[in-house]
Structures are given as C-alpha cells and as structure tokens.
Amino acid sequence: MKNYRNLTRDEIEKLEKQGCKSENWGQVSVIHEFVSDTISNVTFSGNVRLGRLTDQVEFAGGIRKKSGISQAYLHNCTIGDQVYINNVRNYIANYAISDHVIIENVDMILVEKETTFGNGIKIDVLDETGGRKLMIYDRLSAPLAYMMTFYRHRDCLPEGVEAMIENYTQTVKSETGYIGSFTRIMNCSQIINTRIGSNAVIEGVSRLCEGSVNSNDIDPVKIGYNVVAEKFIISSGAEISDHAVISNCFIGQGCLLGKHYSAIHSAFFANCQGFNGEACSIFAGPFTVTHHKSTLLIAGMFSFANAGSGSNQSNHMYKLGPIHHGIVERGSKTTSDSYLLWPAKIGPFTLVMGRHYKNTDTSNMPFSYLIENKDESWLAPGINLRSIGTIRDAMKWPRRDKRKDKELLDPINFNLLSPYTIQRMINGKEILERLRNISGQTTETYTWETTFITRSSLLRGIELYEMGIIKFLGNSLISRITKMNPRTLDDLRLGLKTSSSCGKGEWIDLSGLIAPKAEIDKLIHNIENGVVNNLDEIEAFFKEIHQNYYECEWTWASELLKNYIQKPLEEATIDDLTRLITEWKEAVVGLDKLLYEDARKEFRLCAMTGFGPDGDEQVKELDFMKVRGTFEKNTFVNEILEHIRKKSDLSEKTIALLKSL
C-alpha cells in the first residue's frame, strides 16, 4: 500500500503553470516522493492519485521516453509509478492504472457503471435460440463448459454451477476498472468497462466493451488493429488482431483470431485458431482451426478439428428456427466445400468430404472417411488409421501448444488411442461383423444408418479396427510392465492388478479431457447435492482425473485384456503375455507400414505436377526435390521408420524380460 498526501501550494502553482487544472485540487493526492515536472496540460476531476513519475519507459523498437502525463483528462483515477500517458483525446475515467503502463493516442478509457467485466455473461452456444446458454467467467475450462452445455437435463447441475459463477462475479464486480503493470495501450479508440491484466499489448483497437483481458507477465495477451470486442473474456496468451470482430465470446488460452474473423456467441478453448471466416454459436474445443474466408462454423461442437475452405453447416432443418446442432468429435477434418445438415454426429478422427443431408451419426465408426457420392453418404471405416495425416496431426498438437501460463485452464489429453476411441473401435468392429453376417459374405454394398459401405471397405475396416485395438492393448501392457520392472512372476502378477475401480465402464471426451464417465457422474452428483460447492473444487477434480489418466486407463485396459486372453490377469501365463506382445508388434509394424506407403503417395510423379514448369521430367523431379525434399529424407517418413525400430526393440526386450521370470 502506498502512502499519499495532498499537493503543496507550490506544487499546485507549478502544475497550473504547466497547463494543468482541477476544480478541486484537494481531491488530487500524490505519493511523498512526487515530482511534478513531467505533468503538463492535464485536467483532473474527482479523486485522483498520482505515483512517482521520474524514470524513463521503453517503447517498442528501443525508444525511451520520460514517464509522465500530458494532454489528458483524468477522472477518478489512480496512476501508478513510472506511467506514461500522452494524448488522450477525451478522457480516462474510473480506472486504477498500475506501474509502468504506457497509454498514448487513445480516445477514451472509462468505466461508466458497475460492471463484472464480462463475467457472468451467458452465451448461446450450439442453440442460437438460447436453449444451451453457457455462463462464462475468467477461469472457465473446456470440461466444465462441456458439462454445463450438454448436461442441461440434470437441472441442478447448471443451476448449481451458475450459482458458483455468480458468486465469483460478485468478487470482481466494480465501478473501477484496472490496467495491469507494463501494459501498453496505443492508438486505440474506445475501451469501456474493460479490465486489463499485466503486460498486455493493445494497439489500434476500435472498441473493447464489457470484458476482461486476462493477460499476465508470463503469457501476455495481444490485441491488434481495428478489433471490435464486446461482452467477452480473453484468456492469457491469446492474440486477437486484424479487424477481428467478437461478441459474446469466451476466448481460451493461446487462441489466435484475426484476418477479419467474426465470432458471435461462441466459446473457443485452448489453442484454437480462427482466420478470415465466421463462427456463430459454436463450442470450439481445444485446437479447433479454421483459416478460410468462405468457411462458416455454426451451431456445432468441435475439438482438434480442421475446417477446410468453404466448410458449412445448417441448423435450420425444419421451420421452428435455428434449433438444431451437431457434434464433430475430436480429430475430425472437413475438406473444401463440405456441408453437414444438423443434427448430425461425426465420429472421432473422421475426414468429411462432400455434402451430407441425412443427419448422419458415425460416432461408432472412428478414424473413417465420410464421402459424398451422388448425394449419398458413403463410409470407409477405420481408413484414417493408416493415414499419415492423422499421425502428423497427433504429433503436431502437443508441439503447437502455445500456452505458457503456469495455470493451464484446459486439461488436454493428446492420446490418439485411449479407452474413449478404442471403445468406439470395438463398437465399430462389432457393427461391421454383424452387417457382414446378416447381409452375407458376398454382398457388395452394405447399408448402415444413413450411410453405405462397400464390401472391401467393410472388410478393411474390421482388419484396421482389430489392429488398432491390439496396438492399444499392447501399449498399455508394455507400459505397465516397464513401469513396474518385475523380478519374479509373482511380482508381475501383483503389478498387473488394478489399484482402484476408477476407469471401469464407459469413457467420454469432455472437450479435451478424456475421463471415465462414472467419475464425471460422481462429480455431477456431488455438485447437485452440495458436496462440491465451489469452482476451485471442480477444476481441481478435473486436474486430478487428468493426472491419474494412465492409472485409470490401466483399469479399463485390464478388463479388456482379461476378455482378450479369456482369463484374469493374475492367472495370465508368460506365454499369454508374450503372445499378445508379439501380436502387438505385428499390429504396430503393420500400421506403420501402411503409414509409410501412404506417405510415399506424396512423392509419386503425379504429385510433382506444377514443378519445373519450363523443363523436362528431370527438371520437374529436381525442382520437386529442392522444394519438398526426397522421400528417404522426409522427417515424418524417418519418424515412422524410427518408430518401427523402437517398437520392435521394445517388444523383444519385454519378451526377454518376461521369459527371464
């Protein structure tokens, strides 16, 4: 706390000579070490407190200027130490401005009434008519938002969580705004009822109104030219720039929105990117990416998604308004000019090509292609398991995590294979086998739900799902064995036992957090019954589940292993386990070889079209090599080969360990 005093008569006279004025100098107080030399042409009204303004402040490009206040009107403001304020065309009213802040060439910065700075605002995600209102606050996480959005049928849950958020909003409600230390605000028009954290860079914005910019010194927020944002919360590490327009939105950590992007009533969680296009009432889980001007995402839930140019959806199925929504589960992509008629549900890691009008549900067919052919939807189950693009995506997501904040709001599980996706594979394999048995072995085209599946696609899907399931089981088993490093068979059997019941049953993906449904149901029950009654407890629960993922995964995997070897794990023999590990090696190597061949397609002669346009075939190949490199030296190709080598070595070492017991 700083100690303030009134101005002396000499200080008042000096300020007046420097063009300053106040209706009541008695309402202007200063710190004891106050120096008035750097204050000129400033009008003071209301209660104003001034800090030490003696040092230089540094601007971008290495330019240094003396701290001070000039050409400004300050009303009810507290100004920290070493602040630089210059050329405020209207006024700054009702703000606490922290140390080392730079404010230059702005129109107005004011709080005009009591405000919660965007906290407690309800946004209409998925259902434009407001049926799934999501209340936002500073520390909203993707899994909590998921529960509030999709568990509306549990009446006490949304009511209970909203009451907790309302309690939080009361703690931030104020008639005074705040600008954190080392923040830079330059060439801006209007900043109204907005709270701004430390180290933010806000340059050239047109309007910020009713929101929070939760910047900090570890992960600053950047807001650029001609941005308009109203009723919003922007989390640490986010960047909003280049004419972006957002209204009634939550922007998560590490998000990038720019290049004229428009978003209304939408939530974007960690590391989303939106450029050029438009979002309306979407729930964008982590790593949702859309880069194209003609792309509209509307009334859908997405995560780890990539929307191609011209991707579109429709939420007007009938005549009762925009009441329909869709779910595109994690890891899916839409190709250029794809279209989905809501309601629809697209399974994990699906590639959507073409236009689909029949309210498709492919949730039990993960890693598939959904393709349009003559206005009909055709499915190629499991084919994405052999796509190099799928593996590349899984590798790039953790590498592209921009979050630097010590407090990560969204717990994100990057695993491609998990109980969530493997259960879907099991379901898909059973469905395909049932179709084959019912329709006959020689049927050329099978009908499932609203899709068609060719015979070759069905057989290939069964094979790929089997390989994926074996790969997951082997991963879990080998990881468990390696972790415990047993010395005897008894040690092994003891280590294979599960330590808790957490993980049994169905698993769900709460927009990045993969968790056992039973554990989420317990949390919901505790919220409904008042056992859990604050937001910190809820978020701590999510973090604990995330941290304990592999222990819970083993509980689920051990049940599947027991069914696979047809005996309890504590009765498993060395031969049982070595047989499974051998099958795992075959599955892993088999899938990697499919990936290897898929990658090779990018280096075929037809892929060289457009290279070396003024030369012969040799020039074309040389140009291609200079730009794209060779197949043998490609990074992803070499990673596949290295993966084959490592996994082969791992299987041999694990089998040798088991045989030594």
Side-chain angles (χ1 to χ4, degrees):
M1 295 293 294
K2 296 178 181 177
N3 293 319
Y4 292 90
R5 60 173 175 81
N6 291 331
L7 288 165
T8 66
R9 171 50 54 189
D10 289 343
E11 288 170 335
I12 293 173
E13 290 178 357
K14 186 172 184 179
L15 287 170
E16 288 178 338
K17 288 179 181 178
Q18 292 167 188
C20 299
K21 56 187 176 181
S22 173
E23 292 181 357
N24 185 352
W25 284 108
Q27 291 181 301
V28 179
S29 56
V30 298
I31 62 166
H32 284 275
E33 304 86 355
F34 174 72
V35 176
S36 61
D37 293 356
T38 55
I39 299 177
S40 62
N41 298 307
V42 180
T43 299
F44 302 100
S45 66
N47 294 307
V48 176
R49 292 179 172 182
L50 301 176
R52 185 184 296 105
L53 304 172
T54 56
D55 295 344
Q56 289 189 324
V57 294
E58 186 169 344
F59 290 68
I63 295 173
R64 301 180 68 84
K65 297 181 182 181
K66 192 73 173 289
S67 62
I69 308 171
S70 59
Q71 305 295 332
Y73 189 126
L74 303 181
H75 175 75
N76 286 338
C77 289
T78 298
I79 309 299
D81 294 339
Q82 316 311 339
V83 169
Y84 179 92
I85 299 175
N86 178 51
N87 195 23
V88 178
R89 289 181 289 277
N90 278 298
Y91 52 83
I92 301 174
N94 307 314
Y95 261 87
I97 299 173
S98 196
D99 300 340
H100 303 280
V101 168
I102 295 173
I103 299 175
E104 187 167 39
N105 296 330
V106 300
D107 187 0
M108 65 170 61
I109 301 174
L110 76 146
V111 169
E112 57 182 345
K113 59 182 180 180
E114 190 174 61
T115 175
T116 59
F117 307 104
N119 288 275
I121 289 172
K122 292 185 178 182
I123 61 178
D124 300 330
V125 293
L126 299 189
D127 186 343
E128 282 188 82
T129 64
R132 294 183 184 273
K133 287 186 181 296
L134 171 64
M135 183 181 283
I136 64 175
Y137 80 107
D138 287 323
R139 300 183 56 75
L140 181 65
S141 69
L144 179 58
Y146 180 96
M147 280 177 25
M148 293 173 66
T149 302
F150 288 100
Y151 286 73
R152 307 297 299 184
H153 57 286
R154 303 286 292 263
D155 292 338
C156 295
L157 173 66
E159 291 175 3
V161 175
E162 286 180 4
M164 297 178 206
I165 295 176
E166 185 59 38
N167 289 338
Y168 175 83
T169 65
Q170 296 303 312
T171 67
V172 298
K173 183 182 290 186
S174 179
E175 294 180 351
T176 302
Y178 175 77
I179 299 174
S181 58
F182 293 96
T183 282
R184 186 167 75 238
I185 303 174
M186 301 180 69
N187 305 316
C188 297
S189 183
Q190 297 181 343
I191 298 177
I192 302 171
N193 293 359
T194 300
R195 184 185 60 189
I196 302 170
S198 63
N199 290 77
V201 177
I202 301 176
E203 295 186 350
V205 303
S206 293
R207 180 177 171 86
L208 300 180
C209 183
E210 288 294 338
S212 291
V213 179
N214 293 326
S215 181
N216 60 51
D217 57 343
I218 297 173
D219 210 0
V221 171
K222 297 179 181 178
I223 306 179
Y225 277 84
N226 297 307
V227 168
V228 176
E230 299 181 345
K231 296 183 179 180
F232 64 90
I233 290 176
I234 299 174
S235 304
S236 62
E239 295 185 24
I240 318 295
S241 62
D242 301 332
H243 298 262
V245 178
I246 63 174
S247 175
N248 294 80
C249 288
F250 179 88
I251 312 298
Q253 292 174 316
C255 287
L256 303 177
L257 300 181
K259 295 182 174 64
H260 296 261
Y261 196 71
S262 170
I264 182 171
H265 283 281
S266 296
F268 299 84
F269 293 97
N271 296 298
C272 287
Q273 295 182 17
F275 299 121
N276 298 304
E278 180 182 359
C280 179
S281 293
I282 72 166
F283 187 118
F287 293 94
T288 297
V289 174
T290 167
H291 283 179
H292 305 286
K293 185 174 290 187
S294 55
T295 296
L296 166 67
L297 299 182
I298 185 169
M301 191 200 83
F302 310 83
S303 69
F304 299 90
N306 193 323
S309 173
S311 294
N312 199 352
Q313 308 89 44
S314 174
N315 58 342
H316 282 263
M317 183 178 178
Y318 300 117
K319 299 179 181 180
L320 296 178
I323 59 174
H324 302 283
H325 75 267
I327 298 174
V328 179
E329 297 186 294
R330 68 159 50 203
S332 294
K333 291 184 177 182
T334 59
T335 64
S336 296
D337 297 316
S338 68
Y339 171 82
L340 289 164
L341 176 64
W342 297 148
K345 190 175 182 182
I346 307 302
F349 299 97
T350 294
L351 178 67
V352 179
M353 299 193 297
R355 306 176 71 81
H356 302 274
Y357 306 96
K358 294 187 177 179
N359 312 121
T360 304
D361 182 354
T362 68
S363 52
N364 280 319
M365 294 288 181
F367 297 95
S368 297
Y369 282 5
L370 181 64
I371 306 169
E372 177 207 4
N373 182 20
K374 297 179 181 178
D375 289 337
E376 299 290 351
S377 297
W378 290 73
L379 194 69
I383 196 69
N384 246 343
L385 282 168
R386 72 177 202 181
S387 169
I388 189 66
T390 303
I391 302 303
R392 179 176 175 271
D393 286 341
M395 293 168 62
K396 77 183 181 185
W397 286 320
R399 295 172 182 173
R400 294 184 180 181
D401 192 339
K402 291 179 74 276
R403 299 174 297 169
K404 302 181 184 69
D405 204 318
K406 290 181 179 178
E407 288 286 333
L408 301 183
L409 299 181
D410 297 335
I412 300 175
N413 188 319
F414 294 100
N415 287 8
L416 199 68
L417 302 180
S418 67
Y420 168 73
T421 50
I422 295 301
Q423 184 59 64
R424 302 297 184 87
M425 288 190 202
I426 293 170
N427 295 344
K429 182 170 174 283
E430 290 175 352
I431 291 168
L432 295 175
E433 289 173 339
R434 188 163 60 248
L435 281 175
R436 181 184 59 183
N437 294 335
I438 292 173
S439 301
Q441 301 280 352
T442 58
T443 301
E444 289 300 320
T445 303
Y446 299 86
T447 303
W448 176 67
E449 301 286 348
T450 58
T451 67
F452 296 95
I453 305 173
T454 65
R455 181 172 178 272
S456 61
S457 293
L458 182 141
L459 296 176
R460 183 174 53 202
I462 293 172
E463 179 185 5
L464 288 169
Y465 284 153
E466 178 69 18
M467 294 171 76
I469 294 165
I470 292 295
K471 181 177 179 179
F472 169 79
L473 287 175
N475 287 344
S476 293
L477 177 62
I478 292 173
S479 176
R480 187 77 176 186
I481 293 171
T482 303
K483 185 178 179 180
M484 63 174 146
N485 193 24
R487 297 189 178 185
T488 66
L489 183 57
D490 289 338
D491 286 346
L492 174 66
R493 287 174 170 170
L494 183 62
L496 292 178
K497 287 184 178 180
T498 56
S499 58
S500 75
S501 61
C502 177
K504 290 185 177 180
E506 183 183 356
W507 283 54
I508 55 178
D509 178 10
L510 290 86
S511 195
L513 173 65
I514 297 176
K517 187 174 185 298
E519 298 302 310
I520 302 302
D521 287 339
K522 287 179 187 176
L523 172 63
I524 293 171
H525 182 268
N526 288 336
I527 293 172
E528 291 174 329
N529 289 278
V531 177
V532 173
N533 56 20
N534 70 71
L535 297 167
D536 290 340
E537 286 184 77
I538 296 174
E539 298 302 344
F541 174 87
F542 291 142
K543 289 179 182 177
E544 183 179 2
I545 283 289
H546 182 58
Q547 290 167 358
N548 294 335
Y549 166 79
Y550 285 105
E551 197 63 39
C552 296
E553 181 199 70
W554 175 248
T555 299
W556 189 86
S558 63
E559 288 292 313
L560 190 58
L561 277 165
K562 181 170 67 175
N563 295 332
Y564 195 83
I565 65 175
Q566 297 184 331
K567 65 178 69 171
L569 282 180
E570 54 267 26
E571 298 177 11
T573 66
I574 298 300
D575 286 343
D576 292 328
L577 300 180
T578 55
R579 184 168 61 251
L580 176 61
I581 293 171
T582 300
E583 292 177 9
W584 168 81
K585 176 185 173 182
E586 292 172 356
V588 170
V589 173
L591 285 171
D592 280 349
K593 286 181 177 179
L594 292 174
L595 295 173
Y596 185 83
E597 291 304 317
D598 192 49
R600 189 186 292 277
K601 296 174 185 176
E602 294 287 336
F603 294 84
R604 290 176 180 169
L605 192 60
C606 60
M608 299 181 187
T609 301
F611 287 83
D614 299 326
D616 55 16
E617 292 297 314
Q618 184 178 7
V619 171
K620 178 191 293 187
E621 291 186 28
L622 287 172
D623 186 37
F624 183 89
M625 287 172 57
K626 288 291 184 182
V627 175
R628 297 281 301 277
T630 64
F631 177 71
E632 292 75 16
K633 293 184 179 180
N634 180 266
T635 301
F636 287 102
V637 170
N638 285 316
E639 285 181 352
I640 292 170
L641 295 174
E642 180 65 12
H643 189 259
I644 291 174
R645 186 192 64 77
K646 285 183 176 180
K647 296 305 180 181
S648 297
D649 289 347
L650 181 59
S651 67
E652 292 173 6
K653 289 179 181 178
T654 307
I655 290 173
L657 172 63
L658 292 175
K659 289 183 176 180
S660 69
L661 299 180

